[in-house]
Amino acid sequence: MEFTGVRPKGVPPAILTIAGTDPSGGAGIQADLKTFTALECYGTSVVTALVAQNTLGVQDIFPCPPEFMKRQLLSVLEDIPVQAIKTGMMFDSHTIRAVVDTLRSFYTSGLPPLVVDPVAMSTSGHTLLEADAISHLKSDLLPMATLITPNIPEAELLLSHDAAESTKIASIQDMKSAAERLSSGYKIPAVLVKGGHLSLTVSDVCREAENGTRVEWAYGCGPDYPEVLRATSEYNSSSEQPPIRGDAVVVVDVLHQDGNESGSQSTLFVSPRIDTTSTHGTGCTLSAALASYLGAGLSVLEATRLATIYTHAGISAAFPIGQGHGPLNHLHTILPRAVPRPTPSLPFPFITALIESSRATWTSYVRHEFVRKLGNATLPRDNFVHFIKQDYHYLKHYARAHGQLALKSSDFESISAAATIALSIAGEKSIHESFCAEWSISAAELQSTPESPAATAYALYILDEGVRGDELSLLVALAACLLGYGEVGLWLKTEAAREGSDVFLEGNPYIKWIETYGGERYQRACREGIAALEKRVEATPLTVPRFRELAKIWERCTKLETGFWDMAMTLS
């Protein structure tokens, strides 16, 4: 048979796992089938061994007779058009030969994407791959793979087997080298070396990025993590180490691809390290997710990006099961919650998801040319004067929108909070007038200056949202301004402290504006706004369609904020 990759329209991809069992449900084919289902695939399975294991470890293994395993495999392949295959625990050379011979004889030309997880050792230290099987794994199964997913001990084992000396992996460079050697040595198109056994930091990754290595940062991780969320997390944290400082500990997986259109390349996939014991079946889950995404037609790079995100979220959303290393929460994607609950590694999931849903738009807003010129004092005076005059008009509309928010609120606490904010913003009128006076703008001139189209468009959108939307919709619309200005203020202060930056505070004519939004008073308002939104979403889980509605509102408001900066740059 030849694999065509074609499946009937509307039919989910069928994915096959060839692996051992786990009666406790966290690893092996049980974890694989849960993952396939969570990622909207149809799961099929072939058992290589019956494994007596739980969260405490592996107690015993009963390998499946090779001939019967072949029969299982053909039962699936002869009936169901499989779109991708993953192998897990192979245990011995007889099992490997049976799998290889059956796949080769069935697929006479063209094999579906094959993900090989070279399982050699359990978390508890139990041997899951017999010594004589390693040679067969390397010579027969690995060369058939589209992608292999060894962890660091497994990569060391594969590279050291039959070698004159052992291989040790202790850095990102070592991981990259190991992935390249495995790829070239066994003619494997892609190798993903998993870095969960290695302790690395954000700074380690940034140094690799500076040397030209491609990096994919997971949500809530990396140098582009919003300053306003970093500061809020730092303020709320009882630990000495906030989650996204340069020396924050991260997990790095290294993907090496050989022979793609752009030549060989390595990509680092970086996630915050989670302090948890819920890691049973992590490797099984990741490889099953990779097979699911490859079976759906995604590239290896995109499949790896999504699979690492899915697996990290599964660890983050795990609940305690068993007395040892508990399982991931495989079904976190299909629970009635479009945004996960807050966790130590992702304390603000709703705001983070909003920003990630329109990352480019957010970046255009908070790193706008207007902002950069404020920071290095190259913004012409006339542009700044034009901006603060228009900001006076927007301030009025922002206060009106909070009045609408009080009207939309359904309890006294929310009504009081919205009314207090509206009164506070209205009270900012005299402060803004005083600030403008320092720039030779009189109160009369402020009031007589016509609104620009950008200010009017933004105000009308938010006020319209206050009429037709609900309380949460309006909160999201208002948050784009609140958090964006908080982000800008903090980022400019952070940049000014960075060696070699052209941003400076002392002697900057715009320092008062920067310190207003980067200062404690405004940042406290940001923390309160973040807390209110996260509390609301956690209490009332969002459906996927509802989150998409809110994400559209958020993106629209960030675009309107960008338009406001554009207006200031063009004096229009």
Side-chain angles (χ1 to χ4, degrees):
M1 178 179 176
E2 180 179 1
F3 172 70
T4 64
V6 177
R7 70 176 188 275
K9 186 176 180 180
V11 175
I15 314 297
L16 170 62
T17 173
I18 306 172
T21 65
D22 177 8
S24 70
I29 61 172
Q30 283 88 337
D32 295 342
L33 292 173
K34 291 175 185 177
T35 301
F36 298 157
T37 301
L39 298 180
E40 300 182 357
C41 295
Y42 179 78
T44 62
S45 61
V46 168
V47 177
T48 61
L50 298 174
V51 184
Q53 65 173 310
N54 53 29
T55 66
L56 296 171
V58 175
Q59 291 80 48
D60 205 352
I61 299 173
F62 182 78
C64 181
E67 286 303 315
F68 185 69
M69 201 201 65
K70 283 184 180 181
R71 188 63 262 167
Q72 291 182 76
L73 187 48
L74 287 173
S75 292
V76 175
L77 298 180
E78 290 172 349
D79 183 38
I80 299 172
V82 170
Q83 301 296 307
I85 302 170
K86 71 144 285 189
T87 65
M89 176 185 171
M90 293 283 101
F91 187 64
D92 59 20
S93 58
H94 303 293
T95 300
I96 294 171
R97 283 201 298 266
V99 170
V100 170
D101 291 347
T102 306
L103 291 178
R104 282 177 176 167
S105 63
F106 186 81
Y107 293 105
T108 53
S109 60
L111 186 71
L114 173 62
V115 178
V116 175
D117 184 12
V119 180
M121 192 78 66
S122 70
T123 303
S124 58
H126 198 286
T127 299
L128 301 178
L129 184 67
E130 291 190 341
D132 70 333
I134 298 176
S135 295
H136 291 280
L137 178 74
K138 292 170 65 177
S139 62
D140 299 334
L141 186 58
L142 295 190
M144 297 175 67
T146 305
L147 169 68
I148 69 169
T149 62
N151 59 30
I152 285 177
E154 289 161 351
E156 290 175 340
L157 176 66
L158 291 172
L159 290 170
S160 300
H161 190 257
D162 297 330
E165 57 185 31
S166 63
T167 297
K168 292 297 180 184
I169 299 173
S171 67
I172 296 176
Q173 282 291 339
D174 291 344
M175 293 175 70
K176 289 170 62 179
S177 175
E180 291 171 12
R181 289 169 60 192
L182 286 169
S183 175
S184 61
Y186 301 103
K187 303 295 185 282
I188 307 167
V191 175
L192 180 68
V193 177
K194 300 173 293 188
H197 290 79
L198 197 59
S199 182
L200 296 165
T201 67
V202 169
S203 296
D204 294 329
V205 179
C206 288
R207 282 192 290 272
E208 284 297 318
E210 290 170 359
N211 292 331
T213 303
R214 176 174 178 167
V215 179
E216 291 280 347
W217 298 95
Y219 299 162
C221 185
D224 291 336
Y225 189 76
E227 288 290 330
V228 67
L229 297 186
R230 183 197 63 76
T232 302
S233 177
E234 187 175 30
Y235 181 87
N236 293 338
S237 177
S238 59
S239 66
E240 296 179 1
Q241 180 60 58
I244 58 296
R245 289 292 191 190
D247 54 350
V249 181
V250 292
V251 175
V252 180
D253 299 326
V254 176
L255 174 68
H256 175 78
Q257 293 177 274
D258 194 22
N260 57 19
E261 293 180 358
S262 58
S264 299
Q265 72 169 10
S266 292
T267 304
L268 311 186
F269 294 86
V270 188
S271 305
R273 182 175 287 278
I274 302 172
D275 185 15
T276 180
T277 58
S278 297
T279 55
H280 179 55
T282 301
C284 304
T285 301
L286 177 62
S287 57
L290 285 164
S292 298
Y293 288 122
L294 291 173
L298 300 184
S299 67
V300 169
L301 186 69
E302 183 64 6
T304 305
R305 186 183 73 83
L306 292 176
T308 53
I309 290 173
Y310 166 80
T311 305
H312 180 268
I315 298 172
S316 181
F319 38 81
I321 292 288
Q323 302 174 56
H325 288 273
L328 288 66
N329 180 357
H330 297 91
L331 303 184
H332 66 88
T333 59
I334 61 175
L335 297 176
R337 183 180 287 273
V339 176
R341 295 182 185 277
T343 64
S345 65
L346 190 62
F348 315 113
F350 179 56
I351 300 296
T352 302
L354 287 177
I355 291 173
E356 290 295 337
S357 71
S358 52
R359 165 61 70 179
T361 306
W362 168 261
T363 302
S364 297
Y365 165 30
V366 298
R367 303 291 184 266
H368 196 278
E369 182 186 8
F370 178 85
V371 173
R372 295 179 180 275
K373 287 182 175 292
L374 273 176
N376 60 28
T378 59
L379 181 71
R381 183 183 189 281
D382 288 348
N383 294 81
F384 186 70
V385 167
H386 179 57
F387 165 71
I388 58 178
K389 287 162 69 173
Q390 292 301 318
D391 204 31
Y392 177 80
H393 291 304
Y394 181 73
L395 197 65
K396 173 181 62 181
H397 298 308
Y398 201 59
R400 293 171 63 199
H402 278 87
Q404 290 178 306
L405 185 60
L407 180 64
K408 295 281 184 179
S409 301
S410 57
D411 58 74
F412 282 113
E413 183 182 0
S414 299
I415 293 169
S416 176
T420 299
I421 294 172
L423 288 171
S424 176
I425 297 170
E428 293 284 333
K429 169 181 174 291
S430 59
I431 298 174
H432 195 82
E433 287 175 347
S434 297
F435 179 69
C436 288
E438 296 176 17
W439 292 85
S440 302
I441 307 168
S442 67
E445 185 181 356
L446 276 176
Q447 294 170 20
S448 63
T449 299
E451 277 190 23
S452 71
T456 301
Y458 192 5
L460 287 177
Y461 180 80
I462 288 182
L463 293 172
D464 181 58
E465 198 59 54
V467 172
R468 62 185 176 83
D470 60 12
E471 182 184 5
L472 184 55
S473 297
L474 185 52
L475 277 169
V476 168
L478 294 169
C481 176
L482 173 70
L483 302 184
Y485 275 58
E487 170 70 10
V488 165
L490 283 179
W491 181 75
L492 288 173
K493 291 179 70 174
T494 302
E495 273 293 292
R498 185 175 64 83
E499 186 177 354
S501 173
D502 64 347
V503 174
F504 63 96
L505 299 183
E506 187 174 352
N508 189 321
Y510 305 119
I511 186 172
K512 188 171 182 179
W513 189 94
I514 295 170
E515 289 186 335
T516 295
Y517 293 104
E520 172 57 25
R521 184 169 179 268
Y522 193 85
Q523 290 302 315
R524 182 170 63 250
C526 290
R527 291 195 296 269
E528 291 171 354
I530 291 168
L533 274 169
E534 296 291 347
K535 181 180 179 182
R536 174 65 58 85
V537 171
E538 185 178 6
T540 308
L542 299 175
T543 63
V544 172
R546 177 58 171 147
F547 174 76
R548 288 173 180 162
E549 290 174 3
L550 296 173
K552 285 182 180 179
I553 294 170
W554 171 267
E555 182 169 27
R556 179 62 176 159
C557 287
T558 52
K559 285 182 177 179
L560 288 165
E561 284 284 2
T562 304
F564 206 76
W565 296 136
D566 291 339
M567 169 273 300
M569 292 300 297
T570 57
L571 298 175
S572 60

